[in-house]
Amino acid sequence: MPASAPKPDLGLYVHWPFCRKKCPYCDFNSHVSTTDDSDAFGTALCLEMSYMANMLPDRRALKSIFFGGGTPSLMPPAVIGKIITHAENTFGFAPMIEITAEANPTSVEANIMTEFYHAGVNRVSMGVQSLDDDILKFLGREHNVAEALSALETVRHSFENLSIDLIYATAGQTIKAWQNTLSQALAFDVPHLSLYQLTIEPGTVFYTRQRHGETLNLDDDSAADLYDLTQHVTAAAGLPAYEISNHAKPGAKCQHNMNYWRAADWVGIGPGAHGRFTITADNSANLQRVGTATRRSPAGWLQAVKAQGHGIDTHTHDAADAFAAEMIMMGLRLTDGVHIQQIENICGPRDGWLDHGAVKQAIEDGWLDGNQTADNGMVTALRATEAGRLRLNHIIAMILR
């Protein structure tokens, strides 16, 4: 990256690993516990934050903080406030910083979100997951539809910046049923929706059940029909997709997740958290993309932080071509796509990381749109088409060297 290039945005991810119950579809680093020492974990998170901050090549004000899990809404508000204050003292805050906490729509957690607001949280992502009681039971959720709707009403009194998470394409779900759920969610007039197709991940209860012969999600063609419906319904309601699974009103994109998809910089703290940031010299040949991943076991992580100030388990250094691949993989998830020239400016000539013939083929197949220069026909920008977004993993494997 040229020395004069602007520094990328910096975010902070905070992982709270504890849940009251493990959902059968969840492959996140979450652990059922009712006896965790919240104060000890809060102190350890601040210690690890300081350590990670000292690893950065420079200190920049945070543009976003994201409390994920696990179930962050089980955190004591005092611990949330302590972490936010420590983050501000450590990094400083950019104007209009986005501070998000994930929450479950139970009455207890919904009521405590007011205290989160006073602690500094200004955005909530509610894990509603469905507005169908049968599907909620199938997904192993603790709440029912009535509780979810009540929780949404409670939380929106404190938070204008509110997102709803929903899962669809469960076995037997019809177009009509999903359309009804979408209509209910849109009726809340929230600025953001995260809409995920159910995928069966290794290591989950659903994965074991699927291997034993159960059908838990829709076939690809039926899921694609629901995906197409999702795009049209949300766009008509003023929340078009800006990423494969995320929809927002103008100005309401999740800034923290945009940091991931733009392959910017972030620090990750807590058990099983990942962080990535870039170290550059005067030219791209000396660029390194640093990755950190902490110990997944909450007890092991806490012990490590107490002993050495951090729980880092793996520490990687990727060269420029791997960073280019990251930017392609993440950026093509966005409806805006990627700017190839910008990636070249950071990572060096495209010949080292992009297959020109495969790109041309993907454009001819209608999977990618590409802006091209008038003089030599070189692609300057790429974005996935609607058809391409349904097979994005395949396209990425095609075009990357």
Side-chain angles (χ1 to χ4, degrees):
M1 183 184 298
S4 60
K7 296 293 184 182
D9 291 333
L10 180 65
L12 171 67
Y13 175 75
V14 183
H15 191 79
W16 188 259
F18 303 112
C19 291
R20 278 197 285 256
K21 179 182 179 182
K22 181 77 171 181
C23 296
Y25 58 86
C26 177
D27 70 333
F28 296 148
N29 187 37
S30 58
H31 303 262
V32 176
S33 175
T34 57
T35 59
D36 58 271
D37 187 338
S38 299
D39 289 337
F41 270 87
T43 297
L45 286 164
C46 291
L47 282 172
E48 187 169 65
M49 188 195 310
S50 295
Y51 185 92
M52 297 288 193
N54 288 330
M55 292 178 63
L56 295 173
D58 59 90
R59 293 288 180 94
R60 279 162 280 155
L62 291 173
K63 186 174 182 180
S64 65
I65 302 175
F66 195 102
F67 291 90
T71 309
S73 49
L74 296 177
M75 296 175 70
V79 173
I80 285 268
K82 177 180 180 178
I83 293 168
I84 292 173
T85 298
H86 190 73
E88 184 171 22
N89 292 336
T90 302
F91 298 99
F93 285 173
M96 305 296 291
I97 183 174
E98 174 193 272
I99 303 179
T100 302
E102 293 179 333
N104 283 335
T106 64
S107 58
V108 172
E109 292 168 71
N111 287 326
I112 210 169
M113 296 315 292
T114 299
E115 296 181 57
F116 274 42
Y117 174 79
H118 292 299
V121 174
N122 56 28
R123 182 178 183 273
V124 173
S125 177
M126 292 288 285
V128 174
Q129 311 308 6
S130 181
L131 292 171
D132 180 305
D133 280 328
D134 290 336
I135 293 178
L136 285 173
K137 185 176 180 180
F138 164 73
L139 294 173
R141 303 298 291 173
E142 289 189 300
H143 61 276
N144 57 33
V145 172
E147 289 172 322
L149 297 177
S150 176
L152 286 169
E153 287 289 0
T154 298
V155 171
R156 72 188 307 173
H157 287 308
S158 297
F159 295 91
E160 292 183 8
N161 201 352
L162 176 62
S163 178
I164 296 175
D165 286 13
L166 295 172
I167 294 173
Y168 68 103
T170 56
Q173 188 172 38
T174 64
I175 287 179
K176 182 178 180 180
W178 176 231
Q179 188 167 20
N180 288 340
T181 292
L182 275 178
S183 297
Q184 280 185 277
L186 289 166
F188 266 88
D189 195 31
V190 295
H192 191 282
L193 293 175
S194 294
L195 308 173
Y196 303 105
Q197 291 190 10
L198 176 64
T199 55
I200 310 302
E201 303 290 352
T204 65
V205 171
F206 273 3
Y207 184 77
T208 302
R209 287 170 56 179
Q210 186 185 64
R211 292 189 65 187
H212 290 160
E214 285 190 65
T215 299
L216 301 172
N217 55 356
L218 292 177
D219 62 84
D220 289 346
D221 288 341
S222 298
D225 289 340
L226 295 190
Y227 177 83
D228 289 340
L229 171 72
T230 302
Q231 308 315 301
H232 295 136
V233 170
T234 54
L239 284 84
Y242 68 95
E243 188 268 347
I244 287 179
S245 302
N246 286 272
H247 307 253
K249 293 181 179 181
K253 297 175 183 177
C254 177
Q255 294 305 307
H256 188 84
N257 286 340
M258 287 295 293
N259 219 36
Y260 297 155
W261 296 319
R262 289 173 174 159
D265 291 354
W266 70 94
V267 170
I269 62 173
H274 291 253
R276 290 184 74 76
F277 56 90
T278 307
I279 297 176
T280 58
D282 291 336
N283 60 74
S284 61
N286 294 320
L287 176 148
Q288 284 192 328
R289 184 71 163 162
V290 178
T292 61
T294 57
R295 297 185 63 173
R296 291 175 60 85
S297 161
W301 173 85
L302 183 60
Q303 183 179 22
V305 175
K306 288 179 177 179
Q308 59 194 23
H310 69 89
I312 296 174
D313 190 36
T314 60
H315 190 181
T316 60
H317 291 79
D318 293 335
D321 56 347
F323 186 26
E326 178 188 347
M327 285 191 271
I328 293 288
M329 287 188 289
M330 301 305 288
L332 282 180
R333 297 185 61 89
L334 295 168
T335 55
D336 290 343
V338 294
H339 295 277
I340 301 300
Q341 186 61 57
Q342 290 179 5
I343 299 176
E344 280 193 305
N345 291 343
I346 296 170
C347 298
R350 68 185 72 187
D351 290 344
W353 39 268
L354 194 65
D355 188 321
H356 303 290
V359 169
K360 181 179 178 182
Q361 185 63 53
I363 292 173
E364 290 177 356
D365 290 339
W367 297 347
L368 293 177
D369 283 334
N371 295 337
Q372 297 176 315
T373 58
D375 51 354
N376 60 11
M378 293 291 285
V379 172
T380 59
L382 286 173
R383 60 179 295 276
T385 63
E386 285 194 24
R389 285 194 286 273
L390 293 173
R391 48 181 62 82
L392 191 56
N393 289 341
H394 172 70
I395 294 169
I396 289 169
M398 279 178 57
I399 68 175
L400 288 177
R401 292 192 183 279

